[in-house]
Coordinates of all heavy atoms in Angstrom, one line a residue:
N1504 N 228.2 70.7 66.1 CA 227.8 71.8 65.6 C 226.9 72.5 66.7 O 226.0 72.0 67.2 CB 226.8 71.6 64.4 CG 226.6 72.9 63.5 OD1 226.0 73.8 64.1 ND2 226.9 72.8 62.2
G1511 N 218.5 85.0 66.6 CA 219.2 85.1 67.8 C 220.0 86.4 67.9 O 220.6 86.8 66.9
T1523 N 221.0 87.4 60.9 CA 220.2 87.2 59.7 C 220.7 86.2 58.7 O 220.1 85.8 57.7 CB 219.9 88.6 58.9 OG1 221.3 89.0 58.5 CG2 219.3 89.5 59.9
H1524 N 222.0 85.8 58.9 CA 222.7 84.9 58.0 C 223.7 84.1 58.6 O 224.4 84.6 59.6 CB 223.2 85.7 56.8 CG 223.9 84.8 55.8 ND1 223.2 84.0 54.9 CD2 225.2 84.8 55.4 CE1 224.0 83.4 54.1 NE2 225.2 83.8 54.3
G1539 N 245.2 55.5 80.5 CA 245.0 54.2 81.2 C 244.5 54.3 82.5 O 243.9 53.3 83.0
I1571 N 234.1 60.7 82.4 CA 235.1 61.6 82.6 C 234.7 62.6 83.7 O 233.7 63.2 83.6 CB 235.5 62.3 81.4 CG1 235.8 61.4 80.2 CG2 236.6 63.4 81.6 CD1 235.9 62.0 78.8
T1604 N 219.1 79.4 79.2 CA 218.2 79.7 78.2 C 218.1 78.5 77.2 O 218.9 77.5 77.3 CB 218.6 80.9 77.3 OG1 219.9 80.5 76.7 CG2 218.8 82.1 78.2
F1609 N 221.0 74.0 74.6 CA 221.5 73.4 73.3 C 223.0 73.3 73.3 O 223.6 72.2 72.9 CB 220.9 74.1 72.2 CG 221.5 73.8 70.8 CD1 221.0 72.7 70.2 CD2 222.4 74.6 70.3 CE1 221.6 72.3 69.0 CE2 222.9 74.3 69.0 CZ 222.5 73.1 68.3
A1621 N 234.1 62.1 70.7 CA 235.5 62.0 70.7 C 236.0 60.7 71.5 O 236.9 60.0 71.2 CB 236.2 63.2 71.3
V1635 N 255.5 78.3 68.3 CA 255.8 79.2 67.2 C 255.5 80.6 67.4 O 254.3 80.8 67.9 CB 255.3 78.6 65.9 CG1 253.8 78.7 65.8 CG2 255.9 79.5 64.7
V1710 N 239.4 88.9 65.0 CA 239.8 89.6 63.8 C 238.6 90.5 63.4 O 238.7 91.6 63.1 CB 240.3 88.8 62.8 CG1 240.5 89.6 61.5 CG2 241.6 88.1 63.2
L1730 N 244.1 74.5 58.6 CA 245.0 73.6 59.0 C 244.6 72.1 58.6 O 245.5 71.3 58.3 CB 245.2 73.6 60.6 CG 246.4 72.8 61.2 CD1 247.6 73.2 60.5 CD2 246.3 72.9 62.6
A1819 N 224.7 106.9 92.4 CA 223.9 108.2 92.2 C 224.2 108.7 90.8 O 223.4 109.2 90.2 CB 224.5 109.1 93.3
T1909 N 245.5 93.4 85.3 CA 246.5 93.2 86.5 C 246.3 94.5 87.3 O 245.9 95.5 86.8 CB 247.9 93.0 85.9 OG1 248.2 94.2 85.2 CG2 248.1 91.8 85.2
G1917 N 241.1 103.0 81.6 CA 240.8 102.6 80.2 C 239.6 101.6 80.3 O 239.3 101.1 81.3
P1922 N 234.1 99.8 85.7 CA 233.1 98.9 86.2 C 232.0 98.6 85.3 O 231.3 99.5 84.7 CB 232.6 99.7 87.5 CG 232.9 101.2 87.1 CD 234.2 101.1 86.3
A1931 N 242.0 90.2 91.5 CA 241.6 88.9 90.8 C 242.7 88.2 90.2 O 242.9 87.0 90.3 CB 240.4 89.1 90.0

Side-chain angles (χ1 to χ4, degrees):
N1504 194 304
T1523 59
H1524 182 66
I1571 302 172
T1604 65
F1609 170 73
V1635 60
V1710 174
L1730 188 59
T1909 60

